[in-house]
Amino acid sequence: MQIQSKALPQSFSLQRSIRGFASPHETSHPLLMLSAIVLLTVFAIVQVDLHSAQLQAIGLLSHTATGIDPVFLSP
């Protein structure tokens, strides 16, 4: 007589429920992906701008304000 574990069927049902949320046949709309990437990029830029003093203090940003090299400016 074998003893059957109750954990095995529960793990399979959990795996099925996770698969139900993300079907392999469905893909995200390209416009949704583009907007998510743009929003994350803008968020990163704003965060770096807001915390530039702290980033300079730990050495992740340069302390000097470097502009465009005058060699590359038009006469």
Side-chain angles (χ1 to χ4, degrees):
M1 183 171 152
Q2 287 183 328
I3 300 173
Q4 189 175 13
S5 173
K6 292 182 179 181
L8 186 62
Q10 288 176 353
S11 67
F12 284 137
S13 65
L14 178 64
Q15 196 174 28
R16 270 189 235 123
S17 66
I18 291 172
R19 282 187 199 157
F21 288 119
S23 176
H25 301 293
E26 295 178 19
T27 58
S28 298
H29 194 275
L31 188 58
L32 177 63
M33 295 299 293
L34 177 66
S35 62
I37 291 169
V38 168
L39 286 174
L40 286 174
T41 303
V42 169
F43 179 73
I45 291 170
V46 168
Q47 288 299 316
V48 168
D49 190 39
L50 286 175
H51 300 290
S52 61
Q54 290 92 354
L55 293 172
Q56 285 177 354
I58 61 174
L60 292 177
L61 289 178
S62 64
H63 292 282
T64 59
T66 56
I68 299 174
D69 191 359
V71 173
F72 298 114
L73 295 176
S74 62

